[in-house]
Structure formats: structure tokens, C-alpha cells
Amino acid sequence: MTVRRGAARRTELLDALVELLLAEGFASFTLDDLAARLHCSKRTLYALAGSKEQLVRAAVVHFFRTATVAVEQATADVPDPAGRIAVYLSSVADALRPASAAFIDDVAAFAPAAEIYERNTRAAAARIRAFVDEGVAAGAFRDVHTGFVADVVASTMVRIQRREVAAATGLSDAEAYTELAALVTTGLRVTVSGQS
């Protein structure tokens, strides 16, 4: 029972840490600041990770793991391939919506966190390719080169992750994913002669 309580407390603390970091970023925080803001001791934080850098990494991993579960749950019961892609990318957008510009900038500037974001971006792009493959095979999508579509989606996702889309367009990461979903699903639709 104590082990279960300890795991629940760890998850609760990581959730609170993620919420704080998403809202304010992490570059300017010290461990003392984080302990004060989370109403816990530094010793409690050290139980999660041995340093601020490891704590940030643990929080970023926790954020993406939680987001991945939510995104997969959202798409699990969507039978339509276009709907699945739209829901998947919209769910990615929803997961990223709480992430402030400060958080995204801090992730981009901190190599261990940027690598986690990049790895999750690659995994998401692979999921999109699988959805496109399924849609083409089912006749729901035009006969497209799925590798090319996946590459375009992956490239755009990487550009979003690197903040290049935000710099070029002013869109937040969440807004960019919403636009990407609309672009991809519209472009893949099977068209009937005389209709768009």
C-alpha cells in the first residue's frame, strides 16, 4: 500500500511540475524555486531526479507520455481514416495547447528535452503514415505516394517542433497542428468528378 501511495504521490508531483513548466518554462527556475512553487522540499524533488536537468527531462518525458496516451485514446474509436488523421493531429494540438512559448523555447534550447520532443514528433509522423496507408488501402484516400505524404507531414512536424513554423507564420504549435490536420485530410480526399 505504501508503494502504491508513493507512486501516486510521484505522479501527482510530476503532474504539478508539468503544469508549472508548461505555463512558465523552466530555464529561469532553480530547484529552490521549483520546491517553493510546488510546496514541497528539495529532498522530495531529489527523490524524482538527481538534478534540475534530470528533473526537467523527467517532466518532459511525463508530459509526452501522458499526451501520447490521450492522443491514442482519442483516435482509438475513429473508423474513418480522414477522421482519424484529423482527430490525431487535433489531439496533438490539444495536448500542446497548454505549452507556453516559454516552455517550447526552453525545450528547443535544452538538448535532452529537444531530443524527447523530436523522438515524439517522429513517432507521431509514423502514426500518420500508418493512417494514410490504411486510408489508401481502403479506398478512402486518393492513391498517393504515402511515403511522400508522411515525409511532408514529418517535415512540417519537425519544423513546428523547431519553432520554425511559429517564426514564419506566428502560429502557436497547437494552431500549426490544427492547420496541418486540415491541409492533410483535405488533400487526401477522394474526389468525385465535378466535385472538389
Side-chain angles (χ1 to χ4, degrees):
M1 192 71 150
T2 304
V3 171
R4 200 174 305 145
R5 228 177 291 134
R9 173 65 178 143
R10 175 184 166 83
T11 300
E12 179 183 297
L13 193 55
L14 275 172
D15 287 342
L17 178 62
V18 166
E19 185 177 333
L20 174 61
L21 300 186
L22 285 173
E24 299 181 35
F26 53 81
S28 64
F29 282 118
T30 65
L31 276 175
D32 286 325
D33 296 334
L34 292 172
R37 295 289 297 275
L38 295 171
H39 308 290
C40 68
S41 68
K42 278 174 63 173
R43 174 183 234 161
T44 301
L45 293 180
Y46 279 124
L48 292 177
S51 67
K52 177 191 167 186
E53 291 75 18
Q54 291 172 350
L55 188 63
V56 166
R57 187 184 185 289
V60 172
V61 166
H62 183 72
F63 167 68
F64 281 108
R65 187 173 292 141
T66 302
T68 298
V69 168
V71 169
E72 290 297 333
Q73 286 175 343
T75 59
D77 295 326
V78 181
D80 170 56
R84 195 173 312 125
I85 290 172
V87 168
Y88 187 89
L89 289 172
S90 295
S91 296
V92 169
D94 290 343
L96 287 171
R97 197 159 277 118
S100 66
F103 175 78
I104 298 296
D105 288 342
D106 289 350
V107 166
F110 181 51
E115 190 276 326
I116 293 162
Y117 194 162
E118 190 173 318
R119 185 173 59 228
N120 279 274
T121 299
R122 284 192 309 268
R127 290 293 285 146
I128 295 298
R129 180 178 184 155
F131 296 153
V132 173
D133 284 337
E134 291 167 11
V136 169
F141 294 151
R142 295 184 300 112
D143 187 15
V144 297
H145 190 288
T146 59
F148 176 75
V149 173
D151 185 63
V152 169
V153 170
S155 297
T156 303
M157 292 173 85
V158 168
R159 289 191 71 240
I160 292 168
Q161 181 249 324
R162 291 181 179 164
R163 308 289 289 137
E164 293 168 5
V165 171
T169 66
L171 292 172
S172 70
D173 287 13
E175 291 166 338
Y177 274 107
T178 299
E179 292 297 327
L180 180 60
L183 182 66
V184 171
T185 56
T186 300
L188 290 172
R189 282 196 191 115
V190 174
T191 58
V192 178
S193 183
Q195 295 182 347
S196 56

